[in-house]
Every structure is written in C-alpha cells, then in structure tokens.
Amino acid sequence: MRVRLLGAFEVLGDDGAPVAVAGARVRALLAVLALRPGRLVPAGRLVDALWADDPPANAANALQTLVKRLRAALGRPGAVVWRDGGYLLDVDPDLVDAHVFMRLTLPYAMGTLPDEATDAEAAELDEALALWRGPALTGLPATPYLSAAATRLEERRLAVVEARAAAYLALGREVDLSAEVAAHPLRERLSALAMRALARSGRQAEALEVFERVRRALSDELGVDPGPELRAAHLDVLRGAPAAPAAAGRTYGARDTGDTAGEGPAGSGVTRPADDAVSGAADGPAGGPGRRTGRVWAPATTFVGREAEVARLAALLRESRPGSYKQLRAH
C-alpha cells in the first residue's frame, strides 16, 4: 500500500491501482495516521484531529467504528493496529510521500540554504520536489489538525524551493522562480533568489522590477521595509555582483525525524510545527542522527546590517536615475 499526501489524497494498492476509501472522516483518519507512518497516535489525539471541538458523545466508540471501516476499505485488517491506547498505520514509511519528502529535505528543515552545493544535492532536491502533485492534503476535511499539517508541509516545500534555487545558482544553472514569486509576493528570500537568478541571466531590469514589487507589497500590506537579505540582493544587482546568495549556511536539524504531524497542546485539536519535524531545534549530537553542524557564511556584502548606509543609498536611488552611477560613487 502507498499513501500519497502531497497533492490530492490518494491510496494505491500493492499493484498500483487506486484503493477506494469512502467517507470523509475515514479518509481523514487514514491521513492523520499516515502523517506518522508506523508510529503510534494516541486515541485522544485522533479524536481531537477528527472532530476538533465537537467530538461525539461516545468518541471512543465512534473512533473504533471509523477504524473498522478503514480496515475494511484497505482490505487488510492488520493495516491499522491498536496498541497501548492508540492506533498506528502499519506501512513502510517510505511508501508515504510526505515522509519521504521530509526525510530527503532534512538538512533544510530550518529554512537554511546550502553552502557548497553539489550535483548530488541538487538532484536530491529535484527528487523531493517532484513528489508534489499539488497542494498537500487536497480533498480532505479542513480540520485544524490537517490544515496545520498542510501548512507545515507547504512551508517546508517553499524552503526546499529556495534551497534548490540557491544550489542551482551555486552550480551555475538557470532557475525560474517567477511562478513562486507571484504566488508568494511577501516571501523576501524567494524574491532575493529570483532577483539573483534574473541578474545572472542578464535580466537586471526585471530583477529590479521584482525588488520594487516586493518593496511596495511589504510597505502596503505590512508597513515594513525590505529586510537585509533582499536589500543585499538589490545592491548586488545594481553593482553587477556575482549571484551567490547571501544567506546562512546549512544547519542540520538534529532531532528532525521526518515526522510531518506535530503536536499541539493536549486536547487542543490544533497542531504546531513540531520541533523534530520542521523547526530543526537540536539538542546536541546525542539527540540526533549524527549529522554535522553547518558553517555560517560571512556576509556577501559589507552593506548587510549597515542600516544607515543602506537607507542613504536607497534615498539616492529614489532621487536619481539609472544613469547616475557617478553620483552614487561620489557618496
């Protein structure tokens, strides 16, 4: 059996044929279990995940009924196992696309960019993103638990899109981020990478247009100015500097297990980004799989963090035209 969560929810049999799982709540139950493949999910958490703040009068019996229906749909009674006050989905985790995605993208759990990209790393990122067929968990009830899981998966996907773009730039490859930038106009790192990719292709004017669009969006919607990373990309485009992204180097999440579920407060029915799934919070080598800690890049430009100088340059740019480069140098 294969469970696909990264797009329209889908279950495939061992022969690759679709398995019909009828009933929205039965499908939701399978999705919740599949987010933690092969791992126990307490019955109370399942009740919260499926019914949120409106559980049935006899929630335990209602859950048992759903489990029976799910076992029947899967055609394998042992597919859903009761153990120690909870249920687990007896499936190879590598047959659940969300788990594979989280495992492949473990180094980028904290949204960091690769420091020294290789062809193998780029290929791994390509493989991870190829698992996506559309928005995660499509076709399932919009319960708080599943909505939070979908949001968490999408956030990781965007972080991986950025990591792949950085890897491609480091390897001298072309990368097109126009669709992602249009869909996420307030995501500054994404826009910064798009600017660098455009500039590398000789499309400096388009790169500067991206900056201006993001600057206006940030000002209009959030009332803030662009952050250091986006400003650094802007200045590098103006100066014709190399397209290497100015960002922190790789940091491995030592406790990241590839689990996509997360846990909220007991009985809340709401998930949070789990420390071991998305945030990459580490508690030292003893708590993790033994991966190294990454380096931190030095700023790619001396303008990073120099707020007064950047503000002065921005003012000069607003008052000047592209042909006024000599005026900028004079200051």
Side-chain angles (χ1 to χ4, degrees):
M1 178 180 67
R2 184 180 298 273
V3 183
R4 304 174 77 185
L5 304 173
L6 302 180
F9 177 74
E10 187 175 49
V11 184
L12 304 176
D14 294 337
D15 59 356
V19 175
V21 179
R25 199 156 269 136
V26 178
R27 291 163 59 84
L29 170 61
L30 177 54
V32 173
L33 292 171
L35 286 167
R36 300 172 65 93
R39 299 178 61 184
L40 185 73
V41 182
R45 186 175 302 153
L46 287 171
V47 170
D48 289 341
L50 297 174
W51 286 283
D53 296 328
D54 189 27
N58 195 332
N61 284 348
L63 179 59
Q64 289 175 7
T65 299
L66 289 178
V67 170
K68 289 179 182 177
R69 290 173 57 188
L70 177 57
R71 286 169 173 161
L74 298 178
R76 186 160 57 93
V80 181
V81 179
W82 167 263
R83 183 182 301 160
D84 299 328
Y87 292 93
L88 65 84
L89 184 66
D90 186 15
V91 62
D92 182 346
D94 282 342
L95 296 180
V96 179
D97 59 358
H99 174 86
V100 175
F101 173 75
M102 297 295 274
R103 174 174 56 75
L104 289 174
T105 60
L106 172 62
Y108 313 102
M110 296 179 69
T112 53
L113 300 183
D115 47 6
E116 295 177 354
T118 65
D119 289 331
E121 288 174 322
E124 191 171 64
L125 292 168
D126 287 337
E127 179 186 353
L129 290 172
L131 293 169
W132 285 76
R133 298 165 292 112
L137 305 178
T138 301
L140 294 170
T143 66
Y145 190 97
L146 291 175
S147 295
T151 298
R152 190 160 48 253
L153 286 164
E154 173 64 9
E155 179 62 28
R156 175 72 75 88
R157 186 190 72 82
L158 287 170
V160 175
V161 167
E162 292 166 348
R164 180 174 66 173
Y168 273 35
L169 287 172
L171 293 168
R173 300 184 189 177
E174 297 289 325
V175 57
D176 182 5
L177 295 172
S178 56
E180 294 288 1
V181 168
H184 306 279
L186 299 179
R187 196 172 178 96
E188 295 189 55
R189 169 169 287 177
L190 189 64
S191 294
L193 288 162
M195 290 173 60
R196 295 181 184 280
L198 287 168
R200 166 167 283 179
S201 300
R203 299 155 67 185
Q204 282 82 0
E206 293 178 56
L208 295 174
E209 288 174 6
V210 170
F211 176 82
E212 187 57 28
R213 285 198 302 270
V214 178
R215 186 196 65 77
R216 286 198 302 266
L218 290 169
S219 177
D220 294 344
E221 298 188 32
L222 302 179
V224 299
D225 294 325
E229 190 169 356
L230 191 59
R231 293 198 306 269
H234 183 226
L235 290 171
D236 282 348
V237 172
L238 289 172
R239 292 159 43 199
R250 175 181 313 168
T251 300
Y252 290 101
R255 290 194 298 151
D256 197 317
T257 63
D259 175 19
T260 59
E263 303 173 9
S268 69
V270 180
T271 58
R272 61 173 174 78
D275 289 342
D276 63 347
V278 174
S279 70
D283 53 4
R291 289 183 169 89
R292 65 180 175 84
T293 299
R295 298 181 300 246
V296 177
W297 277 14
T301 168
T302 56
F303 286 103
V304 174
R306 297 177 61 181
E307 304 294 333
E309 289 84 349
V310 170
R312 187 177 183 188
L313 276 172
L316 285 170
L317 287 169
R318 285 194 295 270
E319 297 167 2
S320 307
R321 291 292 180 266
S324 303
Y325 181 64
K326 291 182 180 179
Q327 180 182 356
L328 289 175
R329 287 183 62 91
H331 289 76

